[in-house]
Amino acid sequence: MTNEKMDGLSMDIEQVEQDKLRAVFPQCFTDGQLDERKLLQLLGVFNSVGENDREKYEFRWKGRQESLRLARKRSAGALRPCPEESVNWDGTENLYIEGDNLEVLKLLQQAYFRKVKMIYIDPPYNTGNDFVYADDFADPLRRYREVTLQTAKSNPEYMGRFHTKWLNMMLPRLKLASNLLRDDGVIFISIDDNEVHNLRKLCDEIFGEENFIAQIIVKTNPGGRDYGGLALTHEYLLTYGKLGAELNLVFDKGKKFIFFDELGGFDVRELRNRNIKFNENNRPNLCYPFYVNPNGVDENGLYELSLEAKNNWVKVMPLVSQGVQTVWRWGKDKTLSNLNINLKGRKKQDGTFMIVEKYRSSMRRERTIWDEASVRNEAGSLALSKLFPQKPFDYPKSLETIKRAVALGSNSSGIILDFFSGSATTAHAVMQLNAEDGGNRKFIMVQLPELTGEKSEAYKAGYRTICDIGKERIRRAGRKLCSEELKGGQLQGENNSSFSNLDAGFKVFKLDSSNLKLWDDSPIKDEGALQELEARIRDMIDVIKPGRSELDIVCEVMLKLGQELTQPIIPITLKSGRVVHGIGRVSGDEGSTSCGVKFFLCLARGITPGDALEMAAYAPGRIVFADSCFDNTGQKSNVHLSLKDKGIAVKTL
């Protein structure tokens, strides 16, 4: 049994990485510290590095190292639940989080590490305007409070169009985001010409150059914007995947086949490689004869094949093109395993034969230029106008653009994250795509609660922050989708419940300081030092801050112990009448001991060994107690010993 103290901080990323290294190379640590010399020797790097060897291709700028340190700096924040602003709090698996995305991404590390299937972000473009994501390296939460007017706002800092400022903002956020992506995860990033070159280099470093998928051109404004005599008509959608990522290509549901066999419909395509760069001189293994049985025709008009010469069978070689002997696309081994199954002969109009491959996919190859009307800026505004009487948000992203990206980056399930969510187009796209294809994708939206201008239409309509707009959009889009049905591939309003299983809800959380007091380790002046120390000790007797609810504490503890925020929270009344919180149902009926829970959080006072054993009957992995649960140290010790006998770990707040 362990008895650990929670410190109210987010996951220690540096410690986690060191633990991984220590597990693989324990011999490289001395007195708990990494010996770099031993590690280099173990990896075969024996020589000292000369000055010339230091020259290498790398991407550097002022503030880079500080930004990396900022990504590793632990957060002292918490996400406080707001059920009153949520929709279907107890049933939804979607999240909407208000807060600085840098701090939020840190807080998500423990619970969502390697769990996100797809990320879409539309970060602020580097246009030279005021930059609300100017991070405070010493105290990120202070900067967040200034931006959201929770304290006296600092003087606006005009950032200018400096690449370093933008890169220092993006680097720590992308670094943390990459930790959240699954091994088959994909990220899409909208960007314009100002920083696309830097973003490409930054993503090469974070996600790996080999994991670059595409730089999609999205034609957002066919009329163009004037940029020094040239009309800019497009933006980019930069796409990277983790090592095992594959795009989920879209299928044409209405595709009609002309050929059928026992496996269903199929089309055919020529086996010959039409590229004359591949020929008998450099690919001799792909140049060999087929033999076609002119009398062996099947119901599809396709002919039997052999790789061995037979009487009256017709020899077929790849054609000679521009004087070059071309080759097949398949070698003999693959051909033999597919002969007369997926490979057949087909007679051409001139009476000669060609070799064809069956293919059954109705897959459309995704283009890297998106120029349909549905991806334009005006389409994004139109989608918003269908939900709001007055447009509350300028330049929303096209719903179709993000829906298309989500379809490519995820299958029918998985978590979709957007940590620059703006008007919450991504949440709308996820719900609409789920409605159309029956998927079960879940979204996490993160948005800084930037204030709306007092003269803006949003402010006049009662929306004081961008988050107010985003949450209301999800509510309205969810209601609209739940009253529609799918007809011919399109959603049609029929006021029915065809999508009664659609998750159109979301849980709202707001970034704040931790619910747990942190020890004040600031220097104490000599004068009155003893009294100050005593005051600090008395203040830490109860580490829970006043004014914080039990639900606040439950959500912070579950997140920092690695449990997703959508896990069920089960209040259980013990025989003594004390109420404890079970986190994460394992099995059985709620409220019974057959309902296993992942762990308990206990904040009730006067806890006894009998209460502890009653909780132990639910087979939790651990139980977390507040120190205030125990009347004295003897009672605390007895409870811990009773749980130790059951092999249950204990944490205290």
Side-chain angles (χ1 to χ4, degrees):
M1 184 194 78
T2 59
N3 182 9
E4 302 174 12
K5 190 81 171 176
M6 290 193 66
D7 58 10
L9 297 175
S10 64
M11 186 174 81
D12 188 339
I13 298 175
E14 289 183 343
Q15 187 61 51
V16 170
E17 295 302 324
Q18 285 191 30
D19 290 344
K20 290 179 186 176
L21 193 60
R22 185 180 287 107
V24 179
F25 302 115
Q27 66 272 44
C28 297
F29 285 80
T30 304
D31 294 332
Q33 300 297 315
L34 174 65
D35 188 327
E36 297 178 10
R37 181 181 56 84
K38 288 184 179 180
L39 180 61
L40 290 174
Q41 289 178 349
L42 194 64
L43 297 175
V45 183
F46 298 101
N47 300 324
S48 60
V49 180
E51 193 62 35
N52 290 337
D53 295 327
R54 294 182 185 274
E55 295 181 355
K56 60 181 179 180
Y57 177 80
E58 57 183 336
F59 185 35
R60 301 184 65 83
W61 65 90
K62 182 176 175 58
R64 170 192 162 88
Q65 291 304 316
E66 192 65 37
S67 292
L68 287 172
R69 281 193 290 271
L70 184 61
R72 296 191 294 266
K73 183 180 176 68
R74 299 177 71 185
S75 174
L79 301 180
R80 298 183 65 183
C82 297
E84 66 278 4
E85 297 183 26
S86 307
V87 175
N88 188 22
W89 172 269
D90 292 323
T92 186
E93 294 185 72
N94 299 318
L95 299 177
Y96 188 96
I97 303 173
E98 293 188 22
D100 181 349
N101 51 22
L102 180 63
E103 293 300 293
V104 172
L105 288 170
K106 291 179 183 180
L107 293 170
L108 296 180
Q109 294 293 302
Q110 187 81 10
Y112 292 90
F113 185 77
R114 298 286 190 269
K115 290 184 179 179
V116 173
K117 180 64 177 76
M118 182 261 190
I119 296 174
Y120 169 82
I121 56 172
D122 180 22
Y125 295 171
N126 194 359
T127 60
N129 296 324
D130 289 349
F131 207 49
V132 296
Y133 288 94
D135 300 317
D136 185 323
F137 290 85
D139 186 357
L141 283 174
R142 183 187 69 82
R143 171 65 185 173
Y144 169 64
R145 287 190 289 268
E146 288 177 355
V147 169
T148 57
L149 290 186
Q150 295 179 37
T151 184
K153 189 174 182 181
S154 59
N155 293 328
E157 181 180 359
Y158 187 82
M159 304 302 293
R161 192 178 294 179
F162 298 114
H163 298 301
T164 55
K165 299 288 187 181
W166 190 85
L167 287 167
N168 285 334
M169 181 273 294
M170 290 296 294
L171 174 59
R173 289 164 172 83
L174 288 177
K175 194 76 174 175
L176 291 166
S178 70
N179 293 339
L180 301 179
L181 272 181
R182 285 172 18 180
D183 290 338
D184 62 346
V186 181
I187 184 169
F188 291 81
I189 308 174
S190 288
I191 197 67
D192 68 357
D193 280 325
N194 290 320
E195 294 292 351
V196 65
H197 53 299
N198 283 329
L199 181 61
R200 178 80 178 265
K201 287 183 281 189
L202 187 60
C203 288
D204 281 348
E205 178 176 317
I206 293 173
F207 300 103
E209 186 175 0
E210 68 279 6
N211 292 324
F212 170 74
I213 295 176
Q215 184 169 303
I216 299 170
I217 296 172
V218 184
K219 194 171 182 180
T220 56
N221 185 0
R225 289 175 291 159
D226 185 9
Y227 271 73
L230 293 176
L232 187 64
T233 63
H234 66 275
E235 294 177 354
Y236 304 97
L237 198 56
L238 207 57
T239 310
Y240 281 77
K242 280 293 187 75
L243 203 55
E246 290 185 0
L247 292 185
N248 181 41
L249 296 177
V250 181
F251 286 80
D252 289 327
K253 296 179 181 178
K255 175 72 176 179
K256 294 182 179 180
F257 295 100
I258 61 173
F259 301 107
F260 291 88
D261 61 13
E262 64 278 4
L263 298 179
F266 64 91
D267 286 326
V268 296
R269 55 189 168 204
E270 190 177 9
L271 187 66
R272 181 174 72 93
N273 191 334
R274 293 173 175 268
N275 189 343
I276 62 174
K277 291 182 179 179
F278 301 96
N279 53 65
E280 64 176 344
N281 295 319
N282 55 28
R283 294 292 189 275
N285 61 311
L286 300 180
C287 190
Y288 52 88
F290 281 88
Y291 296 91
V292 179
N293 180 2
N295 300 314
V297 63
D298 63 17
E299 64 277 7
N300 290 303
L302 303 177
Y303 290 78
E304 183 184 3
L305 297 176
S306 174
L307 291 183
E308 297 179 0
K310 297 184 179 183
N311 290 335
N312 300 321
W313 286 41
V314 180
K315 179 180 178 180
V316 178
M317 288 288 292
L319 294 178
V320 175
S321 178
Q322 301 178 39
V324 176
Q325 173 63 66
T326 61
V327 295
W328 307 116
R329 290 184 285 106
W330 293 3
K332 277 191 175 183
D333 288 343
K334 186 175 181 180
T335 289
L336 283 170
S337 62
N338 284 275
L339 203 63
N340 296 315
I341 301 173
N342 289 317
L343 286 184
K344 285 280 193 172
R346 188 180 187 188
K347 184 176 285 189
K348 297 191 288 186
Q349 289 184 350
D350 62 3
T352 61
F353 289 95
M354 61 190 298
I355 308 302
V356 295
E357 166 204 358
K358 296 180 182 180
Y359 70 99
R360 304 176 187 280
S361 168
S362 58
M363 190 180 293
R364 290 189 285 108
R365 293 190 179 275
E366 187 61 50
R367 296 175 294 108
T368 57
I369 298 179
W370 296 358
D371 57 0
E372 298 84 358
S374 58
V375 304
R376 297 173 186 170
N377 290 336
E378 59 194 37
S381 297
L382 180 62
L384 206 59
S385 68
K386 292 180 179 179
L387 299 174
F388 293 89
Q390 290 93 20
K391 188 177 75 170
F393 192 86
D394 293 328
Y395 312 115
K397 271 291 180 284
S398 155
L399 182 65
E400 184 62 29
T401 297
I402 302 182
K403 192 176 74 170
R404 194 164 169 178
V406 171
L408 284 170
S410 68
N411 43 33
S412 60
S413 61
I415 297 173
I416 313 300
L417 169 65
D418 183 346
F419 52 90
F420 289 98
S421 73
S423 67
T425 307
T426 302
H428 189 170
V430 169
M431 292 190 298
Q432 178 141 345
L433 190 59
N434 283 342
E436 292 177 2
D437 66 9
N440 190 37
R441 305 168 188 86
K442 306 302 176 185
F443 63 74
I444 301 177
M445 300 292 105
V446 183
Q447 176 59 41
L448 185 74
E450 299 175 57
L451 302 176
T452 56
E454 293 186 7
K455 296 182 180 180
S456 67
E457 291 297 324
Y459 189 91
K460 294 174 184 177
Y463 304 113
R464 296 297 181 259
T465 70
I466 291 178
C467 292
D468 292 339
I469 300 169
K471 288 178 291 187
E472 185 60 21
R473 177 178 188 168
I474 301 173
R475 295 184 191 104
R476 295 186 181 209
R479 288 196 297 267
K480 185 173 185 293
L481 286 169
C482 288
S483 65
E484 294 178 332
E485 70 171 3
L486 194 64
K487 288 185 176 180
Q490 298 295 322
L491 291 168
Q492 305 290 334
E494 293 288 344
N495 294 318
N496 62 49
S497 57
S498 296
F499 301 127
S500 58
N501 294 324
L502 178 68
D503 185 355
F506 58 97
K507 292 186 174 186
V508 175
F509 290 84
K510 296 184 180 182
L511 177 66
D512 204 336
S513 60
S514 174
N515 301 292
L516 307 178
K517 298 174 186 174
L518 297 177
W519 173 254
D520 183 359
D521 58 359
S522 60
I524 299 177
K525 296 179 181 179
D526 292 339
E527 183 179 350
L530 182 58
Q531 292 86 344
E532 173 64 20
L533 181 60
E534 288 176 348
R536 292 185 184 186
I537 292 173
R538 283 195 302 271
D539 187 54
M540 294 300 291
I541 291 175
D542 186 353
V543 298
I544 297 174
K545 292 178 179 177
R548 301 299 174 98
S549 70
E550 288 199 359
L551 185 58
D552 289 337
I553 300 161
V554 169
C555 290
E556 177 174 5
V557 170
M558 64 190 290
L559 187 62
K560 289 177 178 175
L561 289 183
Q563 301 300 313
E564 297 176 18
L565 288 170
T566 53
Q567 287 283 340
I569 301 171
I570 309 165
I572 296 175
T573 303
L574 304 177
K575 293 176 182 177
S576 63
R578 299 181 183 90
V579 177
V580 295
H581 303 278
I583 312 300
R585 187 179 302 116
V586 176
S587 61
D589 297 325
E590 183 176 328
S592 70
T593 53
S594 64
C595 167
V597 297
K598 294 184 177 180
F599 72 90
F600 272 108
L601 174 63
C602 180
L603 302 173
R605 295 181 181 272
I607 289 294
T608 66
D611 294 326
L613 291 176
E614 192 175 344
M615 284 186 276
Y618 289 83
R622 61 162 61 95
I623 300 178
V624 182
F625 294 98
D627 271 336
S628 58
C629 291
F630 310 105
D631 293 335
N632 52 62
T633 56
Q635 189 181 58
K636 179 178 180 180
S637 179
N638 289 336
V639 167
H640 283 204
L641 288 172
S642 65
L643 292 173
K644 180 180 180 180
D645 292 339
K646 297 291 184 180
I648 296 175
V650 173
K651 275 184 176 288
T652 55
L653 301 178

